[in-house]
Amino acid sequence: MSEVIYEGLIATHKKAPVQAQITISKDTGLITNVIENKEEFKENDNIIKINSDCLIFPGMYDIHIHAREDETKGQNHKETYQTAGDAAINGGVIGIAAMPNTPNPLTTSEQLKWHQNRTKEIKHPATFLNYVGVGPTTKPLVENVPYKAFTGPSVGDLFFKSEKELRNTLQHYKGLPISFHVEDFDVLAANENENNHSTRRPVECVEVALKYVLQIIEDYDLNAKLCHWSTGLESFNMIKKHREIMAKKNLGYNTTIEVSPLHLTFDSNMLEKNPEFWPYVQMNPAIQNKEHRHALIDALKEGFIDFIATDHAPHTISEKFKNFNGSEEEFYKLLKENPEETKLTCCENGMSGATWLDTYVNICGMLMTKHNFSSMDIARVTAYNPGKFVNSFLDSSYGKGFGKIEVGYQGSLTIMNIEKEELIVRENLKTKPGYSPLEGLNFKGRVEKVIVKGEDVTIQKDYSITDSNSVLFKLRIKDGINVPF
Ligand SMILES: [Zn+2]
């Protein structure tokens, strides 16, 4: 039997980091032993010792991404399972769950089979899970899968225009796991001529939809998850009350919440000052003001929000800069020549969504250094809670699944160096569109190693790069327009 032993500081959701030896079987890919008592440590050539400036987390799992690939190949220019998987491993993420709004939205068992075969076929070290879409005419599948329902027009045809339409469909999904994109169609329509993305998709847009979404979850006992949460304050009060109602039902589950790195790092106050960053940070739902952003960070730390889920949305640079003839260089040139008018154009409606997989661990580092998250907080929101979500959909070959460093769990680890810094540069990204909203920013905390089923699958980056020709890098470093968070 071949096995490998990793020795170092393990960081789990339960306790402060502790020196341990983790044995992983390369045959099954599962953890076979965890020793925390130093006197029992083994000594042999198979032991891989991890530096003391690193933390060994259970493999981090991103439960909300867009991989774009389907049988039509219609958006393979944006991303494929291969490149999304590469970006994940590059960012310290060992598994991803892909949303169903591909060119031909995934809503049937036949399509699900296609996606499952495709992700098996590429033999990628990352684990893939697929959400199945819920639309105005869909019914639940026989397979045990997570579902996704869109209440706002983000995704072509797969969305509901009214509460009635949503209710008619969801009455058939009683007790099933459904993730919600929560934005109200009428509020969006009423604000479509506002002057930037935050005012076109205001807080009210989330709150109005949330009111009826929570009521539907209660009425049909849905095992619900709220995606990419963007607002604090009143929406938190609504969710608190709702969770109390759901808890009384003793269903064994209660509504959970995701937050995306974009809503943790950028807010509309920053964009008021520097509207030139809009093309890079436009996303649905929109970022809101600083107060909301800080409420999200606090709620993630306190455990009210359950997951960091990126909503990695790989659109090409030319799509992101469609208001500038598809050219980022033209945008930059115009910004120099005519800054006021160019900034106004940046506020116009562009393409929503940004790439985040490559920088997942950097965001964890930012939360630890700037917002005092403990390693337990990080393990909880990146591995333990995502593991609980994903494990219920896995077959027995995954053992006990993801989220813990314990016997029987996946031998997949995200090893993070918490002392070393990383300057985000385009040259080190693996996502197909090849840009990140974080380019030119420096992060304390970076990927040291990524282990999947005992194998080292780390993607090497060139940390010596200190210069880049990317427009975003130029804006932040050479022009000194830094957006702090
Ligand atoms: Zn999404």
Side-chain angles (χ1 to χ4, degrees):
M1 199 179 89
S2 82
E3 59 177 36
V4 59
I5 298 175
Y6 291 91
E7 181 182 318
L9 283 169
I10 61 171
T12 64
H13 73 286
K14 276 201 293 208
K15 56 184 179 189
V18 56
Q19 191 75 15
Q21 283 188 340
I22 310 155
T23 308
I24 301 170
S25 160
K26 287 193 175 181
D27 302 323
T28 63
L30 301 178
I31 296 171
T32 54
N33 198 11
V34 181
I35 304 172
E36 290 183 8
N37 181 353
K38 274 190 188 167
E39 284 163 19
E40 293 171 21
F41 276 13
K42 294 176 187 167
E43 232 4 288
N44 67 50
D45 295 344
N46 289 333
I47 296 171
I48 296 165
K49 295 192 177 171
I50 304 299
N51 287 341
S52 59
D53 53 1
C54 295
L55 293 177
I56 305 175
F57 288 96
M60 294 178 178
Y61 205 116
D62 185 351
I63 60 167
H64 184 149
I65 69 115
H66 297 264
R68 300 290 169 202
E69 182 171 356
D70 73 4
E71 67 280 15
T72 69
K73 299 189 169 65
Q75 289 183 351
N76 283 17
H77 63 284
K78 288 177 186 264
E79 196 84 289
T80 59
Y81 282 117
Q82 179 70 42
T83 56
D86 291 351
I89 299 291
N90 198 36
V93 173
I94 52 75
I96 46 187
M99 286 298 164
N101 56 319
T102 48
N104 184 22
L106 195 179
T107 56
T108 67
S109 296
E110 291 71 36
Q111 289 170 293
L112 178 65
K113 197 90 233 143
W114 186 91
H115 286 269
Q116 289 173 339
N117 285 341
R118 180 70 190 133
T119 50
K120 246 180 232 145
E121 193 178 277
I122 63 169
K123 294 192 166 51
H124 202 282
T127 294
F128 299 88
L129 176 70
N130 289 98
Y131 286 84
V132 172
V134 178
T137 58
T138 62
K139 289 268 165 64
L141 306 190
V142 291
E143 293 86 354
N144 172 27
V145 287
Y147 293 93
K148 172 73 182 287
F150 299 87
T151 62
S154 191
V155 287
D157 294 335
L158 199 62
F159 77 93
F160 297 93
K161 294 190 189 70
S162 70
E163 179 188 349
K164 190 165 167 256
E165 207 176 39
L166 188 60
R167 221 168 241 285
N168 281 344
T169 301
L170 287 176
Q171 58 178 331
H172 303 292
Y173 288 75
K174 214 172 180 0
L176 292 175
I178 304 200
S179 297
F180 286 91
H181 181 127
V182 184
E183 285 186 291
D184 183 72
F185 182 75
D186 293 332
V187 179
L188 287 181
N191 291 282
E192 66 180 359
N193 295 321
E194 286 290 324
N195 64 355
N196 69 54
H197 205 63
S198 299
T199 47
R200 279 191 296 271
R201 301 176 96 99
V203 172
E204 187 197 357
C205 176
V206 172
E207 289 176 356
V208 166
L210 182 63
K211 191 159 183 260
Y212 58 77
V213 166
L214 295 181
Q215 188 61 55
I216 292 171
I217 296 168
E218 291 165 20
D219 289 350
Y220 303 121
D221 291 347
L222 302 175
N223 181 2
K225 171 157 71 66
L226 305 173
C227 293
H228 35 54
W229 210 247
S230 59
T231 63
L233 317 177
E234 179 53 24
S235 75
F236 283 179
N237 292 332
M238 293 163 75
I239 297 167
K240 255 179 223 150
K241 280 189 200 127
H242 160 77
R243 279 177 166 171
E244 282 164 16
I245 291 167
M246 292 299 281
K248 284 192 189 124
K249 294 170 179 252
N250 284 318
L251 297 165
Y253 53 79
N254 204 333
T255 303
T256 56
I257 315 176
E258 302 172 357
V259 65
S260 84
L262 194 142
H263 291 113
L264 297 172
T265 44
F266 297 99
D267 59 52
S268 57
N269 298 103
M270 296 172 184
L271 272 287
E272 252 161 50
K273 215 170 138 226
N274 298 107
E276 60 271 43
F277 289 97
W278 265 122
Y280 299 102
V281 300
Q282 181 178 324
M283 169 181 175
N284 304 335
I287 51 171
Q288 301 299 345
N289 68 24
K290 193 177 171 186
E291 203 181 346
H292 285 285
R293 183 169 68 86
H294 282 281
L296 293 168
I297 293 169
D298 292 345
L300 182 66
K301 190 157 66 177
E302 288 158 11
F304 184 75
I305 293 179
D306 304 271
F307 315 97
I308 300 176
T310 62
D311 194 24
H312 174 82
H315 302 296
T316 64
I317 287 186
S318 61
E319 288 165 335
K320 291 295 280 176
F321 286 88
K322 64 179 186 177
N323 295 341
F324 296 94
N325 294 322
S327 167
E328 195 187 15
E329 280 68 32
E330 178 158 333
F331 148 73
Y332 190 64
K333 194 170 136 260
L334 289 171
L335 189 62
K336 298 277 136 174
E337 288 169 7
N338 192 347
E340 290 319 308
E341 198 186 317
T342 305
K343 285 179 186 179
L344 284 177
T345 310
C346 287
C347 294
E348 287 171 14
N349 197 12
M351 183 67 109
S352 288
T355 78
W356 288 98
L357 274 171
D358 287 280
T359 51
Y360 193 93
V361 154
N362 307 112
I363 292 294
C364 299
M366 181 273 288
L367 292 171
M368 291 178 84
T369 51
K370 298 221 164 70
H371 299 287
N372 295 318
F373 277 55
S374 69
S375 64
M376 288 178 277
D377 296 330
I378 296 296
R380 183 183 68 246
V381 299
T382 64
Y384 176 67
N385 286 340
K388 277 204 290 187
F389 178 76
V390 165
N391 295 346
S392 60
F393 307 108
L394 300 177
D395 64 44
S396 58
S397 69
Y398 286 90
K400 291 180 177 170
F402 297 93
K404 292 187 188 179
I405 298 180
E406 287 178 14
V407 172
Y409 279 82
Q410 283 287 301
S412 299
L413 309 167
T414 299
I415 306 178
M416 175 180 170
N417 191 310
I418 54 170
E419 294 299 331
K420 286 196 176 142
E421 296 192 350
E422 176 172 2
L423 176 66
I424 308 300
V425 290
R426 197 162 281 194
E427 289 75 4
N428 278 332
L429 304 174
K430 294 295 172 194
T431 183
K432 211 167 198 176
Y435 73 91
S436 157
L438 304 179
E439 282 169 63
L441 296 175
N442 209 42
F443 286 82
K444 193 172 175 195
R446 71 189 196 195
V447 173
E448 177 83 10
K449 272 185 199 300
V450 183
I451 309 301
V452 170
K453 296 179 187 290
E455 302 285 349
D456 186 338
V457 298
T458 315
I459 294 175
Q460 295 304 331
K461 294 184 190 179
D462 184 353
Y463 292 118
S464 69
I465 299 174
T466 53
D467 197 7
S468 174
N469 265 330
S470 100
V471 167
L472 194 44
F473 191 92
K474 279 194 261 187
L475 281 175
R476 287 209 170 105
I477 302 281
K478 294 175 186 161
D479 301 347
I481 309 171
N482 219 331
V483 174
F485 43 74

